[in-house]
Amino acid sequence: MRNLNQDTITQAVIARFANTPDPRLKEIMTSLVQHLHAFAREVRLTEEEWSQGIGFLTATGQKCDDKRQEFILLSDTLGLSMLTVAMNNDKPQGCTEATVFGPFHVAGAPHYEHGDDVANGAKGEPCLVHGRVLGLDGRPVAGATIEVWQADADGHYDVQYQGLEQHRARGVLESGADGGFHFRTIVAEAYPIPTDGPVGEMLRATARHPWRPAHLHFMIKAAGYETLVTHVFRDGGPYLDSDAVFGVRQSLVADWKPLADGSYSLDFDFVLAPEKN
């Protein structure tokens, strides 16, 4: 087709996907084209702005490596990550709510026994974490794989440090026969997401702050249950109502209780949703 104009090009592009073998891919690409073209028309996108957008996405990709995922950070700060989580985690009443995965999970974290110190030298006040993994019926889930990770008191994850030879403030445990687990770590503190890349430029340009409320990441897997990706947020801290990545859920806010020896304790149980047939 020749002589396309701004009124006819959208349908011409959509027609090129007519023979897509995968119906779901066809649906996604058709809708993507429709919405992208509608966006360009709505804001009357200039060629200079289009070029700047391409540059921004290029720089976002260039900022990614095996320790940092700038595209996840971008998705998080645009609320797309949490929207996707909300749409795809409509769990039965009583199950622990899911929230964003975040850009700093890494595979191959060290395994620990109950009571071990997963902080492994990370800076922060000591904290003892207790909890159980349960099914919706209240029965304990034994042998669940529990991955936990967090930032240190300076607001950095271990993978953000150059030359660090061992993982810190992250680890993998298994729930016991009673569904229980406990480990030592450090107190969660509020911290800013990285702002040294394109996402940081976007936040500054739009007068947004980069801060996340204090939290501890969990990913829990068990046979017969849906995988749970969530946080536990520290009650009473700042940014619970203005999380830079929109991830706070009231049901995930808990109290870090001070102990007589100057340390803290956190008790939190997780309820898994049964796997869908």
Side-chain angles (χ1 to χ4, degrees), residues 101-115:
F101 192 50
F104 290 114
H105 173 268
V106 296
H111 286 250
Y112 290 98
E113 300 296 326
H114 294 171

Side-chain angles (χ1 to χ4, degrees), residues 7-254:
D7 298 316
T8 60
I9 190 171
T10 302
Q11 289 306 314
V13 176
I14 290 172
R16 298 290 177 91
F17 295 109
N19 296 321
T20 304
D22 185 333
R24 176 60 174 164
L25 177 59
K26 180 181 178 180
E27 178 187 10
I28 290 173
M29 294 305 299
T30 297
S31 185
L32 176 65
V33 170
Q34 288 174 328
H35 285 282
L36 280 176
H37 285 214
F39 161 75
R41 290 187 178 99
E42 180 182 343
V43 302
R44 300 198 61 82
L45 192 67
T46 68
E47 291 177 270
E48 181 181 0
E49 290 164 342
W50 172 83
S51 180
Q52 290 174 339
I54 293 296
F56 176 82
L57 293 176
T58 300
T60 299
Q62 291 170 338
K63 197 66 177 177
C64 299
D65 56 30
D66 60 340
K67 295 181 178 179
R68 174 164 169 180
Q69 234 301 348
E70 191 79 358
F71 270 112
I72 291 180
L73 201 62
L74 176 60
S75 177
D76 289 351
T77 54
L78 294 178
L80 182 59
S81 298
M82 198 58 223
L83 172 60
T84 304
V85 168
M87 290 191 301
N88 289 276
N89 287 272
D90 187 15
K91 301 178 185 296
Q93 186 71 28
C95 291
T96 302
E97 291 189 271
T99 190
V100 292
F101 192 50
F104 290 114
H105 173 268
V106 296
H111 286 250
Y112 290 98
E113 300 296 326
H114 294 171
D116 285 348
D117 181 13
V118 306
N120 194 29
K123 184 179 179 180
E125 297 180 277
C127 178
L128 181 62
V129 178
H130 286 270
R132 294 180 300 162
V133 181
L134 305 171
L136 192 55
D137 57 4
R139 294 180 181 178
V141 178
T145 300
I146 304 163
E147 290 195 52
V148 59
W149 66 102
Q150 69 178 112
D152 63 17
D154 289 330
H156 297 116
Y157 289 84
D158 54 359
V159 294
Q160 294 178 271
Y161 289 102
Q162 296 292 328
L164 196 63
E165 295 182 356
Q166 292 183 322
H167 284 302
R168 292 179 178 175
R170 73 172 71 238
V172 182
L173 304 94
E174 285 193 359
S175 61
D178 62 350
F181 64 89
H182 64 280
F183 59 89
R184 290 177 291 140
T185 184
I186 52 176
V187 173
E189 302 284 357
Y191 66 88
I193 61 173
T195 57
D196 59 338
V199 172
E201 293 177 8
M202 183 270 288
L203 293 179
R204 286 188 289 273
T206 55
R208 288 179 54 187
H209 76 68
W211 285 85
R212 296 219 62 204
H215 62 273
L216 190 56
H217 292 262
F218 284 88
M219 180 164 66
I220 303 176
K221 300 179 180 180
Y225 297 90
E226 294 182 0
T227 296
L228 173 65
V229 176
T230 194
H231 303 358
V232 179
F233 294 92
R234 185 179 176 188
D235 195 14
Y239 310 111
L240 285 169
D241 295 312
S242 62
D243 182 8
V245 307
F246 309 97
V248 178
R249 295 293 177 268
Q250 183 56 43
S251 68
L252 302 177
V253 178

